[in-house]
């Protein structure tokens, strides 16, 4: 990690390294919102994949993972939850589209709404929240986001719009810098 990245993120690392349990979502979001961070500060971790969005691990600790996620235009996450973790993310470049979902009485999932978040925006979600993150900007614009999962996200529950299929997506850190999921 370069010295600029370490300096800019040091207050967040101090907070995260002091965790002894899962933090409250509002507390984690507040910590991420206090960062004075730009893409240049995490340039070493900005790497894209043609196959899907890419997760780039910045730092891991006993109670967290901090990643930079890079999204080429049109790339999306699966519809997912955060299985036991809270997540606070900050948009560093581009416009993130988050689509929120809920379960229907017959066990399917349906979209509730979508909303856009520009640079500097904070998005926070709990383990049971169902959502999808997308880069739906015009043209070929890229999206770069900083994510903190606490505790470290080991598995995402994944969901389908077309049936009641449920999946589990392992968040294997040894593959975090490989192609997206």
């Amino acid at each position: 990690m370069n010295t600029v990245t370490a300096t800019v993120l040091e207050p967040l690392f101090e907070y995260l390294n002091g965790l002894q349990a899962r933090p409250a979502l509002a507390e984690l979001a507040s910590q991420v919102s206090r960062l004075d961070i730009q893409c240049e500060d995490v340039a070493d971790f900005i790497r894209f994949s043609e196959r899907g969005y890419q997760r780039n691990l910045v730092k891991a600790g006993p109670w967290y993972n901090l990643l930079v996620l890079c999204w080429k235009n049109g790339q999306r996450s699966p519809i997912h939850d955060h299985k036991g973790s809270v997540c606070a993310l900050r948009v560093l470049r581009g416009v993130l589209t988050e689509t929120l979902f809920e379960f229907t009485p017959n066990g399917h999932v349906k979209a509730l709404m979508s909303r856009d978040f520009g640079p500097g925006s904070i998005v926070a979600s709990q383990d049971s929240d169902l959502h999808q993150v997308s880069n739906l900007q015009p043209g070929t614009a890229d999206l770069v986001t900083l994510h903190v999962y606490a505790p470290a996200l080991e598995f995402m529950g994944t969901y389908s719009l077309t049936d009641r299929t449920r999946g589990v997506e392992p968040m294997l850190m040894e593959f975090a810098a490989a192609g997206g999921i």
Side-chain angles (χ1 to χ4, degrees):
M1 183 176 333
N2 69 40
T3 56
V4 173
T5 301
T7 302
V8 168
L9 292 174
E10 190 57 40
L12 181 61
F13 292 150
E14 285 181 28
Y15 165 76
L16 294 171
N17 288 328
L19 291 175
Q20 299 296 314
R22 176 179 152 165
L25 182 60
E27 179 184 327
L28 182 62
S30 175
Q31 292 291 327
V32 172
S33 72
R34 292 181 193 150
L35 293 174
D36 183 18
I37 188 167
Q38 307 295 320
C39 279
E40 297 77 31
D41 300 320
V42 292
D44 293 349
F45 302 97
I46 297 178
R47 295 185 297 273
F48 293 86
S49 171
E50 294 297 326
R51 296 181 299 158
Y53 73 95
Q54 178 146 334
R55 300 182 307 262
N56 302 297
L57 182 64
V58 176
K59 188 170 182 178
W63 283 96
Y64 69 93
N65 281 342
L66 186 135
L67 300 104
V68 171
L69 275 63
C70 297
W71 315 75
K72 293 192 93 34
N73 197 273
Q75 292 178 337
R76 303 172 182 244
S77 72
I79 299 167
H80 66 280
D81 60 27
H82 290 141
K83 292 256 183 227
S85 294
V86 292
C87 174
L89 73 83
R90 184 176 186 137
V91 179
L92 299 180
R93 178 172 56 201
V95 176
L96 174 147
T97 299
E98 179 189 40
T99 304
L100 303 175
F101 294 84
E102 73 177 359
F103 288 105
T104 64
N106 68 358
H108 286 269
V109 295
K110 72 174 182 179
L112 294 174
M113 64 176 279
S114 291
R115 52 194 181 175
D116 293 335
F117 297 92
S121 296
I122 304 296
V123 180
S125 57
Q126 301 196 78
D127 50 2
S128 60
D129 294 339
L130 297 179
H131 73 160
Q132 181 177 53
V133 174
S134 307
N135 178 359
L136 303 177
Q137 301 174 85
T140 60
D142 291 329
L143 172 65
V144 177
T145 53
L146 179 81
H147 294 240
V148 179
Y149 298 99
L153 183 62
E154 295 181 14
F155 297 96
M156 292 189 312
T158 58
Y159 305 88
S160 170
L161 279 178
T162 58
D163 58 39
R164 288 180 272 216
T165 302
R166 304 288 184 260
V168 175
E169 182 71 41
M171 298 291 286
L172 302 172
M173 284 302 104
E174 59 266 31
F175 299 115
I181 59 172

